[in-house]
mmCIF file of all heavy atoms in Angstrom:
data_model
loop_
_atom_site.group_PDB
_atom_site.id
_atom_site.type_symbol
_atom_site.label_atom_id
_atom_site.label_comp_id
_atom_site.label_asym_id
_atom_site.label_seq_id
_atom_site.Cartn_x
_atom_site.Cartn_y
_atom_site.Cartn_z
ATOM 1 N N THR A 111 129.313 -60.734 129.481
ATOM 2 C CA THR A 111 128.750 -62.027 129.107
ATOM 3 C C THR A 111 127.805 -62.609 130.150
ATOM 4 O O THR A 111 126.855 -63.316 129.812
ATOM 5 C CB THR A 111 129.864 -63.040 128.841
ATOM 6 O OG1 THR A 111 130.675 -63.171 130.027
ATOM 7 C CG2 THR A 111 130.752 -62.567 127.695
ATOM 8 N N GLU A 112 128.040 -62.326 131.438
ATOM 9 C CA GLU A 112 127.201 -62.860 132.504
ATOM 10 C C GLU A 112 127.400 -62.038 133.775
ATOM 11 O O GLU A 112 128.382 -61.299 133.900
ATOM 12 C CB GLU A 112 127.524 -64.333 132.773
ATOM 13 C CG GLU A 112 128.978 -64.596 133.121
ATOM 14 C CD GLU A 112 129.277 -66.085 133.293
ATOM 15 O OE1 GLU A 112 128.330 -66.893 133.246
ATOM 16 O OE2 GLU A 112 130.462 -66.425 133.488
ATOM 17 N N ILE A 113 126.448 -62.169 134.702
ATOM 18 C CA ILE A 113 126.553 -61.400 135.951
ATOM 19 C C ILE A 113 126.311 -62.327 137.147
ATOM 20 O O ILE A 113 125.228 -62.364 137.718
ATOM 21 C CB ILE A 113 125.593 -60.193 135.979
ATOM 22 C CG1 ILE A 113 124.160 -60.603 135.634
ATOM 23 C CG2 ILE A 113 126.062 -59.106 135.038
ATOM 24 C CD1 ILE A 113 123.161 -59.477 135.888
ATOM 25 N N PRO A 114 127.314 -63.075 137.564
ATOM 26 C CA PRO A 114 127.171 -64.062 138.640
ATOM 27 C C PRO A 114 127.150 -63.434 140.033
ATOM 28 O O PRO A 114 128.182 -63.295 140.684
ATOM 29 C CB PRO A 114 128.406 -64.936 138.455
ATOM 30 C CG PRO A 114 129.432 -64.006 137.884
ATOM 31 C CD PRO A 114 128.681 -63.044 137.013
ATOM 32 N N GLY A 115 125.968 -63.037 140.480
ATOM 33 C CA GLY A 115 125.858 -62.450 141.813
ATOM 34 C C GLY A 115 126.633 -61.160 141.977
ATOM 35 O O GLY A 115 127.026 -60.788 143.088
ATOM 36 N N VAL A 116 126.837 -60.459 140.892
ATOM 37 C CA VAL A 116 127.738 -59.301 140.874
ATOM 38 C C VAL A 116 127.300 -58.199 141.833
ATOM 39 O O VAL A 116 128.122 -57.576 142.498
ATOM 40 C CB VAL A 116 127.855 -58.739 139.441
ATOM 41 C CG1 VAL A 116 128.616 -57.419 139.427
ATOM 42 C CG2 VAL A 116 128.545 -59.736 138.541
ATOM 43 N N PHE A 117 125.987 -57.948 141.914
ATOM 44 C CA PHE A 117 125.485 -56.801 142.670
ATOM 45 C C PHE A 117 124.716 -57.220 143.924
ATOM 46 O O PHE A 117 123.821 -56.506 144.379
ATOM 47 C CB PHE A 117 124.596 -55.935 141.775
ATOM 48 C CG PHE A 117 125.313 -55.401 140.557
ATOM 49 C CD1 PHE A 117 125.072 -55.926 139.301
ATOM 50 C CD2 PHE A 117 126.242 -54.372 140.678
ATOM 51 C CE1 PHE A 117 125.726 -55.447 138.172
ATOM 52 C CE2 PHE A 117 126.908 -53.881 139.558
ATOM 53 C CZ PHE A 117 126.653 -54.421 138.305
ATOM 54 N N GLY A 118 125.059 -58.324 144.499
ATOM 55 C CA GLY A 118 124.400 -58.763 145.723
ATOM 56 C C GLY A 118 124.598 -57.763 146.858
ATOM 57 O O GLY A 118 125.657 -57.171 147.003
ATOM 58 N N GLY A 119 123.555 -57.557 147.642
ATOM 59 C CA GLY A 119 123.649 -56.655 148.777
ATOM 60 C C GLY A 119 123.665 -55.184 148.424
ATOM 61 O O GLY A 119 123.866 -54.342 149.303
ATOM 62 N N CYS A 120 123.440 -54.860 147.146
ATOM 63 C CA CYS A 120 123.364 -53.441 146.742
ATOM 64 C C CYS A 120 121.930 -52.976 146.990
ATOM 65 O O CYS A 120 121.082 -52.973 146.086
ATOM 66 C CB CYS A 120 123.760 -53.276 145.274
ATOM 67 S SG CYS A 120 125.484 -53.675 144.940
ATOM 68 N N SER A 121 121.660 -52.583 148.206
ATOM 69 C CA SER A 121 120.291 -52.389 148.679
ATOM 70 C C SER A 121 119.566 -51.211 148.044
ATOM 71 O O SER A 121 118.329 -51.144 148.080
ATOM 72 C CB SER A 121 120.293 -52.226 150.205
ATOM 73 O OG SER A 121 121.162 -51.178 150.602
ATOM 74 N N SER A 122 120.297 -50.267 147.453
ATOM 75 C CA SER A 122 119.658 -49.111 146.816
ATOM 76 C C SER A 122 119.522 -49.272 145.306
ATOM 77 O O SER A 122 118.940 -48.411 144.636
ATOM 78 C CB SER A 122 120.464 -47.837 147.106
ATOM 79 O OG SER A 122 120.543 -47.577 148.492
ATOM 80 N N LEU A 123 120.033 -50.357 144.777
ATOM 81 C CA LEU A 123 120.061 -50.557 143.328
ATOM 82 C C LEU A 123 118.660 -50.850 142.798
ATOM 83 O O LEU A 123 118.031 -51.836 143.178
ATOM 84 C CB LEU A 123 121.009 -51.703 142.984
ATOM 85 C CG LEU A 123 121.313 -51.938 141.504
ATOM 86 C CD1 LEU A 123 121.953 -50.710 140.876
ATOM 87 C CD2 LEU A 123 122.230 -53.147 141.339
ATOM 88 N N GLU A 124 118.190 -49.989 141.905
ATOM 89 C CA GLU A 124 116.835 -50.118 141.364
ATOM 90 C C GLU A 124 116.808 -50.685 139.943
ATOM 91 O O GLU A 124 115.771 -51.196 139.507
ATOM 92 C CB GLU A 124 116.134 -48.762 141.385
ATOM 93 C CG GLU A 124 115.953 -48.198 142.788
ATOM 94 C CD GLU A 124 115.295 -46.828 142.787
ATOM 95 O OE1 GLU A 124 115.075 -46.283 141.680
ATOM 96 O OE2 GLU A 124 115.017 -46.306 143.878
ATOM 97 N N ALA A 125 117.925 -50.572 139.217
ATOM 98 C CA ALA A 125 117.920 -51.033 137.829
ATOM 99 C C ALA A 125 119.320 -51.356 137.332
ATOM 100 O O ALA A 125 120.265 -50.616 137.615
ATOM 101 C CB ALA A 125 117.296 -49.966 136.922
ATOM 102 N N VAL A 126 119.421 -52.457 136.602
ATOM 103 C CA VAL A 126 120.617 -52.772 135.828
ATOM 104 C C VAL A 126 120.164 -52.868 134.372
ATOM 105 O O VAL A 126 119.344 -53.727 134.021
ATOM 106 C CB VAL A 126 121.275 -54.090 136.273
ATOM 107 C CG1 VAL A 126 122.390 -54.479 135.310
ATOM 108 C CG2 VAL A 126 121.838 -53.944 137.680
#
Side-chain angles (χ1 to χ4, degrees):
T111 59
E112 57 184 354
I113 51 170
V116 172
F117 300 106
C120 294
S121 55
S122 300
L123 188 60
E124 297 178 355
V126 172

